[in-house]
Amino acid sequence: MNQIPKSAPAKIELNDLHKSFGPKTVLNGVTLDVARGESVVIIGGSGTGKSVMLKCILGLMRPDRGSIRIDGEETVGMGQRDRERVLRKFGMLFQGAALFDSLPVWENVAFGLIQGQKMKRNEAKERAIEKMAQVGLSADVAALFPSELSGGMQKRVGLARAIATEPEIIFFDEPTTGLDPIMADVINDLIVKCVKDLGATAISITHDMASARKIADRVAMLYKGELIWVGPVSQIDNSGNAYVDQFIHGRAEGPIRMEIRR
Amino acid sequence: MQFLAAVGRIFIAFLSHAGRLAVFTAIAVSHCFRPPFYPRLILRQMIDIGYYSLPVVGLTAIFTGMVLVLQSHSGFARFSAEGAVAFVVVLSITRELAPVLAGLMVAGRIGAAMAAEIGTMRVTEQIDALVTLSTNPYKYLIAPRLIAGLLMLPCLVLVGDIIGVFGGYVVATFKLGFNPAGYLRSTWQALEVMDVVSGLVKAGVFGFIISLMGCYNGYHSRGGAQGVGAATTAAVVSSSILILVFNYVITELFFAQ
Ligand SMILES: Nc1ncnc2c1ncn2[C@@H]1O[C@H](COP(=O)(O)OP(=O)(O)O)[C@@H](O)[C@H]1O
Ligand SMILES: [Mg+2]
């Protein structure tokens, strides 16, 4: 594994993570260190377990084996109270945005402030509208419901919700999938800006190499449950790894065989 | 051998299901008593369950009361016991029909809606999002529904009792020519506190069952729209069956000596 040597302790340390669903092995020994303030992008084909990996780190799924340390603290098997405390460090943009469709947009954005930080509703609303402005949403969107928004706007609301509590660690699960290229670039810029502004540690998942190049300090490629290549984004074009080459150039021929048979 | 294996599999699946439901119930109930509480959400559920179910429960109750009078009148005429009509109506409504029919109607209305809403939140990752925003889904989604179900069904059934008896009164006096004052007097004489109380206890249990099965099936749904559909069906079927089972059990506890 080509890890960059670092002096500071890692913000997130994954060690030999395993996760299966019944007979199907999804994660098969994932090891990764993410330094404080670093932005790591995970690439890999659909269904290789990228989302599962993030959910394990968040404690939404329990890994079968392995260790996850956040700020040096082991979180696998953690009790509910400690889990809630650790989760306060996190913000997450879900793959499908996962906005609460029973709440108006501003309450979605303010949710972590009101429920997690017990902020007064009025104050939280102001903060929410501020955060929405940061992702380029005007205040008149605030009263709409998520179902009334376009996909790009939903992603931006999800982004605003993820950064509203100013978390130390932010996860972005396919932030640009399903958006037009221009909107995708807007979202990429927003992610870079938000992460820089907050000084946050970020893990992003994407299929989109343009966004990976824009967001990443380091890139890791997940294939068959393992990280087969980890390296700085500047080396991605000469990784010397046939799998990575095939993926970043999007070729059907190569060592990666798509399982088309059903 | 094949057959035994199949029976065994079904039995094991049943046990694991029952176990999961028991654990779910224990966790959910424990969260009903531990802060933070969400009064705003409890109120919204109470309005949803109590207020918006009034028309359904009212209509069910009034027609049940009406038909009960017709049936018992024509039935008892054979024994020349028409005087017992008021007695039969008030007893059957308060003890059995109002709680059971209201329970079944609300199971269709509310249990299905809960399973669909929570199931959709599950498959669209909204429940995961809740967790990442430092909110416990048991507290935020499930406890308010359980509390509202438990409290509102007795209210609905009390209203149903009154409307049902009134429906019977209307048919008895206007159609069958009973003496209005006499009918009311025999209704009042027949009525015992225990009849109403047992009906309300049933209603509370049914309300809890409806919310529980709606939440449980929704919470464990998976696999997109189809999964949510299956969860909705399972919620209505399982709560209806449990209502009928518990109806017997509670009746036995109250009235079998
Ligand atoms: N809750 C679950 N139950 C069973 N299988 C799951 C579950 N979540 C994910 N999987 C399986 O794990 C694999 C990886 O999923 P995922 O992490 O979502 O892929 P992706 O890399 O596209 O994000 C998929 O094959 C999926 O079917
Ligand atoms: Mg995914």
Side-chain angles (χ1 to χ4, degrees), chain A residues 55 58 60 80 84 87-88 90 92 94-96 98-103 111-112 115-116 121 161, chain B residues 31 34 36 38 40 44 117 120-121 124-136 139-140:
Chain A
K55 285 183 184 171
L58 288 166
L60 297 171
Q80 167 130 17
E84 281 173 15
L87 273 174
R88 280 174 211 280
F90 285 89
M92 166 98 182
F94 282 86
Q95 195 165 342
L99 301 178
F100 304 125
D101 38 33
S102 58
L103 299 178
F111 198 90
Q115 306 298 348
R121 289 174 70 83
R161 184 174 73 178
Chain B
H31 280 290
R34 280 184 285 155
Y38 297 99
R40 186 188 285 267
R44 209 180 89 193
E117 185 177 355
T120 305
M121 292 187 74
T124 57
E125 299 184 315
Q126 290 178 50
I127 292 184
D128 289 342
L130 271 182
V131 175
T132 64
L133 293 165
S134 329
T135 303
N136 189 317
K139 279 202 174 66
Y140 186 82

Side-chain angles (χ1 to χ4, degrees), chain B residues 41-120:
Chain B
L41 296 178
I42 297 175
L43 192 68
R44 209 180 89 193
Q45 291 301 326
M46 287 173 91
I47 292 171
D48 248 13
I49 298 175
Y51 185 69
Y52 290 113
S53 299
L54 270 178
V56 174
V57 170
L59 280 173
T60 310
I62 198 160
F63 282 106
T64 307
M66 285 160 66
V67 82
L68 210 55
V69 167
L70 280 189
Q71 288 284 19
S72 49
H73 181 74
S74 75
F76 287 161
R78 294 182 207 162
F79 314 103
S80 323
E82 293 96 332
V85 166
F87 181 79
V88 168
V89 169
V90 73
L91 214 65
S92 349
I93 294 264
T94 53
R95 281 189 180 190
E96 281 296 325
L97 293 173
V100 171
L101 292 180
L104 294 177
M105 298 307 280
V106 174
R109 213 187 88 80
I110 296 294
M114 283 182 185
E117 185 177 355
I118 295 181
T120 305

